Amino acid sequence: MSKERLYIFDTTLRDGAQTQGVHFSLDEKTKIAHALDDLGVDYIEGGWPGANPTDTEFFQKKLQLKNSSFTAFGMTKKSGRSAENDPGLSAILNSNTNSVCLVGKAWDFHVDVALGISNEENLENIKETTKHFVKNNKEFMFDAEHFFDGYKSNPEYAISCLKAAYDNGARWIILCDTNGGTLPHEISKIVTEITKHIPGKNLGIHAHNDTENAVANSLAAVQAGVRQVQGTINGLGERCGNANLMSLIPSFFLKKDFSDKFELSIKRDNL
C-alpha cells in the first residue's frame, strides 16, 4: 500500500522568534536554517521581509538549501490599494524565495474590530493577494488566522475566507488555532467538515499551545485530513508556544497509526 505524503513546515525563525527573551541574530538564523535543511523539513519560514532589518537582510542572502523550500511570511494586502501597489507585498515578492505564506483574517469579529472593514472587503483582499503571488509564480500558502474561533462563530464566512484563497490558486490553506484554545475533538470535527470543501492534500494545521494541546491538535488534524503540519523546534512561540516538532516528527515515524499511512521527506536516520 502506497503511503500519503506529510509535509513539515518549520516556523521557528518566525513564530518561534516571538518567544519572550528569544532573539535570533542574522548569523544564528542562517545556522538554524541550515540545520533545519539538514534535518529535511519541507518548508523553512525565515521571517517577514520588510518587517525589520534582520529579516530583510536574511531574505537577501542566498542560502543554498538542499532539501527545504525557503519561505517568506507576510500579511494580505491592505484595503484601499491594489496588490501591485502594496509595499508590504512588494518586499515579500522580491525576497529570494519560491514559496510565501501570508496571513489573513478568517474570523468576522476580527475583520470588524481589528481591521475595521467589511467582510466582503476582507474576502477581496485575500482573493487579490492570492492572485498576485500565483501570477508571479510563487507557491502560495494562506494562513487563516483565528480560523477555528471564526468557524465556531460564523462557519459560512470562515469557509468563504479559505475559498477566496483556494479558488484563486493557493497551494496550501493553513487552519490556524491562533488563540490555542481549541480542543482535539473540536479539531477533528471541524477539519472533517472542511475537507468537504477543500481537499486534505491542500490543508495544513498551525496550532498554538495555550491549553497544552498543540501537539494533540496537530495529530488530530492529520487524522482528520490535513497534510501539512506547522510547528517549531521545542515548541517555541508567542505566549505558551507552538506545536512542538520535536514531539510531532517522532510520532509520525514511530506510532503505527501514522507510520503505516504517511511518509515524510525527513530521512528516518535523521531522527
Side-chain angles (χ1 to χ4, degrees):
M1 184 182 73
S2 61
K3 296 183 179 182
E4 291 187 67
R5 175 81 180 279
L6 269 186
Y7 295 80
I8 302 297
F9 182 111
D10 182 277
T11 181
T12 304
L13 296 175
R14 200 275 302 176
D15 219 343
Q18 298 186 61
T19 307
Q20 185 175 1
V22 171
H23 172 74
F24 299 127
S25 68
L26 182 62
D27 181 59
E28 288 166 340
K29 287 174 81 84
T30 303
K31 289 178 179 177
I32 292 169
H34 283 299
L36 293 168
D37 183 47
D38 289 340
L39 174 61
V41 302
D42 295 284
Y43 299 97
I44 299 171
E45 190 173 58
W48 188 336
N52 59 72
T54 301
D55 280 6
T56 300
E57 187 175 355
F58 187 47
F59 280 94
Q60 293 170 352
K61 294 170 68 72
K62 297 287 187 181
L63 283 181
Q64 305 296 332
L65 301 178
K66 304 183 296 293
N67 303 304
S68 308
S69 178
F70 192 33
T71 306
F73 178 81
M75 65 183 297
T76 53
K77 81 172 187 71
K78 294 184 181 299
S79 295
R81 62 183 63 181
S82 67
E84 289 78 9
N85 291 315
D86 188 301
L89 297 192
S90 296
I92 299 162
L93 187 64
N94 293 328
S95 62
N96 290 314
T97 67
N98 294 319
S99 55
V100 299
C101 185
L102 270 68
V103 66
K105 301 295 186 188
W107 187 4
D108 56 356
F109 171 72
H110 275 211
V111 173
D112 179 30
V113 174
L115 297 182
I117 61 176
S118 68
N119 286 352
E120 292 73 23
E121 195 170 355
N122 182 57
L123 293 176
E124 186 70 12
N125 289 345
I126 297 169
K127 174 183 173 182
E128 291 304 313
T129 300
T130 305
K131 289 167 64 176
H132 180 60
F133 283 96
V134 171
K135 178 179 68 178
N136 284 280
N137 300 313
K138 298 284 190 181
E139 181 182 13
F140 185 79
M141 306 177 222
F142 175 61
D143 252 5
E145 187 179 27
H146 294 286
F147 170 74
F148 291 96
D149 293 301
Y151 183 88
K152 291 180 222 178
S153 168
N154 186 342
E156 182 179 350
Y157 183 70
I159 292 171
S160 70
C161 293
L162 307 183
K163 296 283 284 180
Y166 178 71
D167 290 346
N168 287 285
R171 166 66 179 91
W172 290 105
I173 304 297
I174 315 302
L175 310 178
C176 300
D177 185 30
T178 311
N179 280 336
T182 310
L183 299 176
H185 70 281
E186 297 176 296
I187 295 283
S188 298
K189 180 180 179 180
I190 293 171
V191 171
T192 299
E193 287 299 313
I194 298 307
T195 59
K196 298 175 183 176
H197 302 272
I198 297 171
K201 65 183 178 63
N202 298 105
L203 291 174
I205 181 73
H206 181 113
H208 284 252
N209 203 35
D210 297 68
T211 56
E212 287 288 337
N213 279 296
V215 168
N217 283 343
S218 300
L219 295 174
V222 170
Q223 289 183 313
V226 311
R227 295 298 176 258
Q228 186 197 109
V229 178
Q230 298 197 354
T232 61
I233 302 302
N234 295 329
L236 290 177
E238 60 183 332
R239 303 187 317 274
C240 301
N242 286 34
N244 185 356
L245 291 180
M246 299 295 92
S247 302
L248 284 165
I249 293 170
S251 295
F252 294 139
F253 272 104
L254 303 175
K255 300 300 182 182
K256 287 179 66 64
D257 284 348
F258 296 97
S259 62
D260 284 352
K261 185 175 181 180
F262 302 109
E263 62 182 3
L264 280 67
S265 295
I266 297 169
K267 294 181 175 60
R268 191 180 181 90
D269 290 347
N270 286 351
L271 278 183

